């Protein structure tokens, strides 16, 4: 007797290897995927623009970076002496317009340089509901606590999203013809707009992803949303807010992700790396015993074995700090 409906992920023609470079953008679930990749020593630029939920803003940020567009100064906003930008997450702020402009241009330049060499761009779409500035109709990524009267709320349709994706895709391919795109819909529930509108929003995003995948042969959809909604359909897989997947759910979804995209070589490395991470997390009561010092020496040797392919300098430094010089 079956007690759950496990999602079968479609096999992917694209494979992420030990030398792959990946950039993640989008909702907070892009942060989850990106941090998991980086934690497993995969070269990853994780959500460089901060958390961005709607596809219009996500595609705009990527396109502007690729074209080396200066940030739009007219979208900077000041509140209590702090400057922020409507196109970017609230983690980007400065005391002056000039400082903020410099910070954002550096962010865009870093994203552009990485995208030109990246093998994969992972995009996580969070919501189809957008806020437009009433004065000019521009969609914002973050309202930065401006009065609600400043904005008009709209719902993007499938055509809006697919057209905006196509424009970004053309720019991306002009700069890096070999890059592949992995699309996913965030499993995080956007309850602020009501659960009813959240369902409408997610259905639009999912339909848009379907059409995009059908149109572009180097785009693949990963069903993180479906895994959460159908496979893990129980509140025990949510955090206390009942909105975000908990650590167990995030780990399960990432395992599905790795099964779908990782090469055998990378999966083999991850098994070995997991053992190393367990050793690094070990907290002995006494660190100066001969047994623990040998444990550290053996661990350092294992790290040295990885150093020709991966950056393990921080891990080696941690181990060396505990080793007692002979």
């Amino acid at each position: 007797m079956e007690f759950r409906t496990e999602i079968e992920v479609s096999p992917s023609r694209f494979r992420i290897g030990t030398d792959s470079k990946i950039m993640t953008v989008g909702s907070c679930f892009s942060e989850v995927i990106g941090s998991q990749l980086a934690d497993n020593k995969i070269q990853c630029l994780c959500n460089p623009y901060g958390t961005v939920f709607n596809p219009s803003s996500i595609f705009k940020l990527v396109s502007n970076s690729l074209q080396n567009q200066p940030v739009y100064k007219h979208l900077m906003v000041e509140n209590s002496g702090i400057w922020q930008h409507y196109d970017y997450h609230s983690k980007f702020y400065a005391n002056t317009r000039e400082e903020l402009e410099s910070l954002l241009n550096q962010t865009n330049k870093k994203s552009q340089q990485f995208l030109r060499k990246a093998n994969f761009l992972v995009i996580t779409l969070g919501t189809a509901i957008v806020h437009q500035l009433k004065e000019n109709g521009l969609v914002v990524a973050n309202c930065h606590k401006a009065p609600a009267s400043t904005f008009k709320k709209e719902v993007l349709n499938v055509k809006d999203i697919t057209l905006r994706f196509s424009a970004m895709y053309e720019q991306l391919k002009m700069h890096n013809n070999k890059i592949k795109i992995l699309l996913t819909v965030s499993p995080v529930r956007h309850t602020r707009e009501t659960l009813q509108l959240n369902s409408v929003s997610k259905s639009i995003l999912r339909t848009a992803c379907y059409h995009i995948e059908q149109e572009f042969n180097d785009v693949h959809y990963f069903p993180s949303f479906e895994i959460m909604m159908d496979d893990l359909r129980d509140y025990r897989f949510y955090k206390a807010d009942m909105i975000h997947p908990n650590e167990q759910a995030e780990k399960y979804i990432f395992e599905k992700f790795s099964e779908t995209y990782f090469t055998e070589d990378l999966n083999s490395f991850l098994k070995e790396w997991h053992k190393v991470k367990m050793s690094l997390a070990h907290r002995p009561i006494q660190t100066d015993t001969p047994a623990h010092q040998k444990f550290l020496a053996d661990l350092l040797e294992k790290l040295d074995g990885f150093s020709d392919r991966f950056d393990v300098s921080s891990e080696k430094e941690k181990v060396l700090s505990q080793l007692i010089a002979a």
Side-chain angles (χ1 to χ4, degrees):
M1 184 178 293
E2 297 290 339
F3 288 100
R4 54 192 280 253
T5 50
E6 186 172 354
I7 297 293
E8 292 186 11
V9 184
S10 301
S12 172
R13 303 185 308 279
F14 318 139
R15 291 292 171 181
I16 295 172
T18 55
D19 58 347
S20 293
K21 296 179 176 64
I22 304 168
M23 178 165 144
T24 67
V25 292
S27 82
C28 48
F29 199 72
S30 272
E31 196 84 30
V32 172
I33 293 177
S35 60
Q36 292 267 20
L37 290 168
D39 190 46
N40 285 293
K41 292 301 170 185
I42 299 167
Q43 298 178 72
C44 180
L45 181 59
C46 178
N47 256 18
Y49 314 109
T51 302
V52 183
F53 294 104
N54 77 79
S56 176
S57 293
I58 294 169
F59 302 155
K60 176 184 177 181
L61 285 165
V62 172
S63 294
N64 287 351
S65 290
L66 289 166
Q67 297 176 78
N68 200 26
Q69 287 271 12
V71 295
Y72 300 137
K73 296 181 183 180
H74 64 285
L75 291 180
M76 293 183 183
V77 59
E78 184 267 338
N79 185 11
S80 301
I82 297 297
W83 285 90
Q84 295 177 304
H85 197 291
Y86 279 133
D87 279 342
Y88 295 81
H89 187 260
S90 55
K91 76 173 187 177
F92 294 102
Y93 63 90
N95 294 319
T96 67
R97 290 181 62 142
E98 292 74 22
E99 288 176 3
L100 179 61
E101 181 181 8
S102 176
L103 174 63
L104 296 179
N105 282 330
Q106 288 174 25
T107 298
N108 288 347
K109 186 66 175 178
K110 181 179 179 181
S111 300
Q112 180 203 55
Q113 291 173 345
F114 193 92
L115 280 170
R116 284 180 170 177
K117 297 179 180 179
N119 304 99
F120 295 93
L121 174 62
V122 179
I123 302 174
T124 304
L125 306 180
T127 181
I129 300 168
V130 298
H131 290 80
Q132 297 174 315
L133 288 166
K134 287 183 178 179
E135 63 179 5
N136 53 28
L138 292 176
V139 172
V140 303
N142 196 306
C143 294
H144 297 306
K145 299 181 180 179
S149 58
T150 309
F151 309 98
K152 178 177 68 172
K153 186 165 68 176
E154 295 288 344
V155 181
L156 297 174
N157 59 45
V158 172
K159 186 177 180 180
D160 288 332
I161 296 169
T162 54
L163 286 175
R164 292 169 196 255
F165 175 87
S166 296
M168 181 212 70
Y169 178 88
E170 289 180 11
Q171 286 294 329
L172 187 60
K173 286 297 178 175
M174 284 174 59
H175 290 83
N176 182 350
N177 191 48
K178 295 182 180 180
I179 195 170
K180 306 294 188 294
I181 300 174
L182 307 182
L183 279 179
T184 188
V185 173
S186 171
V188 178
R189 307 160 80 200
H190 287 259
T191 56
R192 182 179 297 179
E193 307 291 352
T194 74
L195 283 173
Q196 294 92 323
L197 265 182
N198 176 68
S199 294
V200 172
S201 169
K202 296 293 189 185
S203 65
I204 291 171
L205 296 177
R206 182 62 189 94
T207 305
C209 287
Y210 172 79
H211 287 293
I212 290 169
E213 186 182 29
Q214 294 298 306
E215 183 175 350
F216 300 96
N217 61 12
D218 47 5
V219 176
H220 189 262
Y221 177 78
F222 177 72
S224 56
F225 174 73
E226 290 86 341
I227 292 170
M228 193 69 204
M229 294 298 107
D230 291 310
D231 193 345
L232 305 179
R233 53 192 305 179
D234 193 300
Y235 278 111
R236 75 179 185 273
F237 295 113
Y238 284 89
K239 292 180 180 178
D241 62 8
M242 298 298 164
I243 295 173
H244 293 82
N246 62 19
E247 185 178 351
Q248 187 179 17
E250 290 174 353
K251 182 179 179 182
Y252 179 78
I253 294 172
F254 186 74
E255 286 175 356
K256 289 285 188 181
F257 185 89
S258 62
E259 289 171 7
T260 304
Y261 298 113
F262 291 0
T263 61
E264 290 185 13
D265 184 44
L266 179 53
N267 276 316
S268 176
F269 160 73
L270 291 182
K271 290 177 182 177
E272 293 301 312
W273 184 244
H274 178 71
K275 296 175 185 176
V276 171
K277 286 198 296 181
M278 293 289 287
S279 296
L280 288 166
H282 180 57
R283 294 289 183 271
I285 297 174
Q286 295 177 315
T287 60
D288 57 353
T289 63
H292 185 65
Q293 289 297 302
K294 184 180 185 307
F295 168 82
L296 291 173
D298 291 343
L299 180 55
L300 186 62
E301 187 177 345
K302 290 178 183 177
L303 289 169
D304 281 332
F306 291 128
S307 60
D308 60 331
R309 292 193 299 165
F310 305 97
D311 179 11
V312 292
S313 55
S314 61
E315 288 82 4
K316 288 177 66 175
E317 184 178 344
K318 180 180 178 180
V319 174
L320 285 167
S321 69
Q322 299 174 60
L323 272 170
I324 300 173

